[in-house]
Amino acid sequence: MKITRNRRVSETAGRQSRSKFPNALYSEAGNKMIGRICGTGSFVPEKTVSNDDLAKIVDTSDEWIRERTGVARRHIAEQDTVVTMGAEASRRALENAGISPEDVDMILMATSSSNVIFPSAACSVQREIGAVHAGGLDVSAACTGFLSVYQIGQAYIQAGMAQTVLLIGAESLSRLVNWKDRSTCILFGDGAGAAVLQADESASCLQTVFHSDGRKGWTLTCDSRHKDGAKDLSGDPSTFIQMDGKEVFKFALTKVPEAVREVLEKTELSTDDISWFLLHQANIRIIEGVAKRLRLGMDRFPSNMEEYGNTSAASIPILLDEMNRSGRLERGQKVVMSGFGAGLTWGACVFEW
Ligand code: UT7
């Protein structure tokens, strides 16, 4: 009674069901099925903007930006949208997984920067990649977005509602940034990452935690009146990303270590059991601070914000794809993922690669 990869859930669910949860999938051992990431992909636009380039439009310097954030350059979309970037990252992830778009049951897309309110970016990606059997929806959880779609995807699989879920994080934050505001425009970049999550009876060790605190929502906002003209420097500043950087910094340094400890407690694992801590790439000082609070060295906290800046929901899946393709992720390793950002929202999960 093995789960066959690529078989559509409707064909398999009946045979693997128990009466209490008629659709749920179970492994041979009788445990409820969970998903395993079986392919990753990413895409960033070609155009880069260096710190020196930014120093020509706002009062800043390469030295200040590198020291305070760890960012050296960011990729900026010119023609690309979250849909074109998300679709390309998805094609690469599906190819990496050896899965046809027609075998995807569900597309969950984390984004806060689509240039249309509806149709959802997930449905547009579905159209672009030909995932004709999939359902699709967007999830708005800012920089915690990829963690959220991962958790929802796992819930779909555990409930027997899907067997193959395409997870996407894609952002075009350059549309929403006030290019006159030196405290925010230096941070963000554009790009997309995707991962294919598939029910796998040998997958184990999944625990997740997710939290929100709407009372602190004011610390990081973006008004929905933004429009494509946002790159026009004469735009109304109140319609761009606005952030109390210090508050967000403090929040991340407190809540991320707490979430990591909380999720490890649920699995009865210690930090020694974890090969990699994949954190949202907001600021290198946040990652260093989290590592320090967990009393760990930086060697298990990979980062790529030097090249991409903070790509919000895309940062974790881009990193995941780089880790996968460079061979640093090995099957059987235990990995912690942690996202944090606007909402405020934060959380973590632990899984076996
Ligand atoms: O994805 C999650 C969302 N965001 C984050 O995680 C961001 C979290 N916060 C941060 O990363 C940091 O707070 C920033 C990088 C945004 C700012 O660093 P900071 O060390 O908190 O700087 P600050 O806001 O306290 O500003 C210190 C000084 C100020 O000047 P004065 O008042 O001391 O004269 C700022 O005006 O640095 C000035 N400043 C800059 N100077 C040069 C602010 N931005 C810049 C800049 N270049 N780009």
Side-chain angles (χ1 to χ4, degrees):
M1 199 179 62
K2 280 207 179 317
I3 291 281
T4 310
R5 280 182 191 276
N6 300 349
R7 191 180 286 174
R8 294 198 49 71
V9 71
S10 53
E11 292 168 27
T12 56
R15 268 174 284 143
Q16 288 148 1
S17 69
R18 283 176 174 181
S19 55
K20 197 170 168 201
F21 301 103
N23 290 321
L25 303 172
Y26 289 86
S27 71
E28 270 179 352
N31 301 322
K32 218 183 237 189
M33 196 68 70
I34 64 175
R36 189 194 287 278
I37 293 176
C38 59
T40 61
S42 60
F43 174 85
V44 291
E46 217 173 292
K47 182 181 173 181
T48 56
V49 173
S50 69
N51 293 343
D52 286 334
D53 292 333
L54 286 180
K56 291 177 194 148
I57 59 169
V58 287
D59 182 13
T60 190
S61 67
D62 179 51
E63 193 192 357
W64 193 97
I65 301 172
R66 280 180 193 262
E67 207 173 277
R68 300 286 177 121
T69 70
V71 179
R73 67 194 72 79
R74 63 289 292 145
H75 292 245
I76 300 293
E78 293 181 289
Q79 302 304 322
D80 275 305
T81 64
V82 295
V83 171
T84 61
M85 294 188 288
E88 190 50 37
S90 299
R91 285 185 202 100
R92 294 175 186 183
L94 288 165
E95 194 184 354
N96 185 240
I99 287 175
S100 154
E102 294 183 3
D103 290 315
V104 175
D105 301 311
M106 193 68 201
I107 301 173
L108 299 173
M109 180 140 174
T111 186
S112 304
S113 49
S114 181
N115 53 344
V116 294
I117 292 172
F118 51 80
S120 70
C123 288
S124 299
V125 168
Q126 176 199 24
R127 178 196 65 219
E128 292 295 308
I129 65 172
V132 290
H133 298 300
L137 58 90
D138 290 355
V139 172
S140 169
C143 303
T144 320
F146 190 75
L147 179 77
S148 311
V149 292
Y150 178 81
Q151 293 178 335
I152 298 166
Q154 289 286 11
Y156 264 86
I157 288 172
Q158 291 186 23
M161 290 165 66
Q163 189 170 333
T164 304
V165 184
L166 177 60
L167 310 174
I168 308 166
E171 301 287 7
S172 180
L173 295 166
S174 60
R175 301 176 52 245
L176 309 180
V177 156
N178 180 357
W179 291 99
K180 281 179 170 171
D181 175 8
R182 67 178 182 171
S183 67
T184 51
C185 76
I186 54 146
L187 294 173
F188 298 102
D190 301 336
V196 181
L197 189 66
Q198 194 166 51
D200 184 335
E201 66 175 1
S202 67
S204 60
C205 160
L206 173 76
Q207 283 296 345
T208 64
V209 294
F210 187 91
H211 300 285
S212 306
D213 184 357
R215 292 167 303 179
K216 290 274 175 69
W218 58 269
T219 56
L220 183 45
T221 61
C222 186
D223 195 296
S224 68
R225 286 172 295 154
H226 65 72
K227 48 186 183 294
D228 272 336
K231 279 181 182 156
D232 175 357
L233 295 181
S234 65
D236 172 2
S238 71
T239 64
F240 297 105
I241 291 175
Q242 294 192 303
M243 179 174 71
D244 183 328
K246 278 207 183 312
E247 276 293 321
V248 178
F249 198 92
K250 266 193 301 187
F251 142 75
L253 274 192
T254 316
K255 295 300 182 186
V256 175
E258 269 178 32
V260 171
R261 284 198 197 95
E262 186 185 353
V263 83
L264 288 178
E265 260 168 41
K266 283 174 89 173
T267 47
E268 296 179 9
L269 292 171
S270 84
T271 52
D272 293 344
D273 300 310
I274 305 302
S275 301
W276 301 109
F277 295 83
L278 304 185
L279 269 49
H280 164 51
Q281 303 287 294
N283 182 318
I284 193 68
R285 288 188 297 140
I286 291 177
I287 297 184
E288 287 167 352
V290 171
K292 196 169 166 198
R293 284 176 188 221
L294 292 169
R295 297 199 175 83
L296 299 171
M298 278 293 280
D299 51 320
R300 285 184 282 161
F301 289 75
S303 89
N304 61 10
M305 79 205 46
E306 185 181 8
E307 178 64 30
Y308 307 117
N310 176 347
T311 57
S312 191
S315 84
I316 291 178
I318 292 174
L319 184 62
L320 197 62
D321 186 43
E322 289 183 341
M323 298 284 294
N324 180 24
R325 286 174 193 262
S326 64
R328 278 176 287 174
L329 281 167
E330 291 168 24
R331 288 292 168 205
Q333 287 181 335
K334 293 184 177 59
V335 178
V336 163
M337 255 180 352
S338 177
F340 51 93
L344 293 173
T345 51
W346 68 98
C349 68
V350 58
F351 61 86
E352 193 182 87
W353 178 252

